[in-house]
Amino acid sequence: MAGTQNIGESSDNPVAINVTAMVDVIFCLCLFFMCSFQFKQLEGKIESWLPKDRGMNVTQVTEALVKEEIRVLMKWNQDTGTTSRSVLNSEPAHLGTDSELLAVIRQRRDEYISQGKTNWPLMIDAQSEVPWQDVIHVMDLCKNENLPRIEFAAPEAAIEGPAG
Amino acid sequence: MARKSLQTEHEVAPNLIPMVDIMFLLLLFFMLGADMGHRELEVVKLPLAQTVKEDKDDSDIESRLTINVFHLYEPEVICAAYKAEAICRDKTHWRIAMKGKQYADHKLLVKQLQRYADTQGGNPKNPIISEKKLMVRADKSAPFGLVQEVLKDAAMAGMYKIECGAARPTP
C-alpha cells in the first residue's frame, strides 16, 4: 500500500497530508463500482394502440364487417421453430422475408391511398405462441414505413347467448 | 585504513498524486455509469428494434405506468430453454409485475390499472377511456400470449395507449 506522501516539497508546504487512507478508500470504492457495473441498455418505446371498443364494452357484434385495415397474421410453426407471416386477403400466403412482407404492405397501403382512404390501421394479429421479439420486429418494420396506426388485434371474445 | 561506508540506502518516495487523480476519474466514471435508477424496472431482455423512440422528458416516464413481463431469475428457476435464448413456454416461469409487485391474478391487475388510470366505477356499457399511457416491457423470449393477456387487461381498464419497450441494437 501507499506510503506517507507530502504534497509538494516539504519546505514549500509544512502541512503533511497522509493520502494513504484516501487512496485505500478510493480503491475500495472503485472496486465496488467496477464489480457492480453494468452498461445501461439504450431503451426506448414503440407506440401502439388498442381498439377503443373492446374491453369493458359488452356490445355484441352480430355480423362481420368488412374492415379497412392491413392485417398481418403471424403463426408459430412448431416444426420449423419459426414464425410464418402473411397479410390477410393478400398473396402470397407465406411471406418469408422482410422485403416480401413490406412489398405486400406497401401495395395495400398504395391501394388505400389511391382510394383516398387514410384512416385505417395496420393490425397485428399474432398467435399466442409467437415470440414477442418477432411481433416487435414486424412493428419495427411498419414504423420504418411510417405507417400511422399500428394496433394489436384482440383475441376474439366468445359471444354469450341470452341468459336462461 | 579507515573506510568510508557506502551510503546505499535511498529514500524512495513514489509520487501518488497522478495515481490519485486517475483513481478519482475512474471512480467518477463508474459512479456516473452505475445503473442505480428506476428500480421499478425489472431485469428484462428487451426485444431489439431500430425505430425505438427515447424518452426525452422525465414527465413522460412519471406519467405512465410500466408493466414488466419477465422470466424468473436463475436461482429461482433453472430453465434450459431460456438460458439457450429459445422461447420458454412454461407459464410458471413467467411473471407479470407492476411497481415492484407481481400479479398472478389478472382481475387484481385490472383493478390496479383502473385505479392508476382513474377509470374506476365506469359503466360497462359506456366505459371511461383513459388517456394515460401504459408501457409494456416484455422479455424478447416471452410468448405473445402473455403480452396479449396484459393488453387485454389494459383494455378492460380503459387504457388504450400502449408503448412497447424495446432496446436499440448496438452498432
Side-chain angles (χ1 to χ4, degrees), chain B residues 3-23:
Chain B
R3 261 192 187 179
K4 267 188 184 175
S5 63
L6 284 171
Q7 197 126 28
T8 53
E9 280 183 22
H10 294 283
E11 206 173 307
V12 181
N15 190 0
L16 287 181
I17 295 167
M19 193 188 74
V20 169
D21 287 351
I22 290 166
M23 292 296 291

Side-chain angles (χ1 to χ4, degrees), chain A residues 27-145:
Chain A
F27 260 124
C28 286
L29 277 171
C30 243
L31 206 66
F32 167 74
F33 281 110
M34 276 169 80
C35 291
S36 65
F37 193 72
Q38 227 181 351
F39 275 103
K40 249 186 205 173
Q41 196 176 28
L42 200 60
E43 200 175 309
K45 63 193 179 188
I46 300 178
E47 286 169 340
S48 62
W49 287 267
L50 293 177
K52 278 187 188 176
D53 58 343
R54 299 301 293 255
M56 289 193 286
N57 198 344
V58 293
T59 314
Q60 291 179 0
V61 179
T62 50
E63 59 181 283
L65 298 170
V66 178
K67 288 179 182 172
E68 282 167 2
E69 65 180 19
I70 302 175
R71 185 173 282 247
V72 180
L73 305 171
M74 299 179 76
K75 287 179 183 170
W76 178 250
N77 191 331
Q78 189 68 48
D79 299 328
T80 58
T82 54
T83 305
S84 68
R85 302 171 299 187
S86 61
V87 176
L88 191 70
N89 300 326
S90 293
E91 292 291 329
H94 174 71
L95 303 162
T97 62
D98 291 346
S99 52
E100 283 174 343
L101 176 69
L102 285 175
V104 175
I105 290 172
R106 280 181 200 135
Q107 188 192 335
R108 290 288 297 274
R109 180 188 61 187
D110 294 344
E111 280 172 23
Y112 281 136
I113 290 170
S114 64
Q115 292 164 12
K117 293 168 183 169
T118 51
N119 193 25
W120 45 267
L122 182 130
M123 193 72 80
I124 295 177
D125 192 348
Q127 273 186 342
S128 59
E129 292 84 14
V130 172
W132 180 235
Q133 170 69 74
D134 292 355
V135 178
I136 286 287
H137 183 64
V138 170
M139 282 179 79
D140 194 26
L141 292 173
C142 297
K143 277 274 171 193
N144 225 7
E145 285 296 306

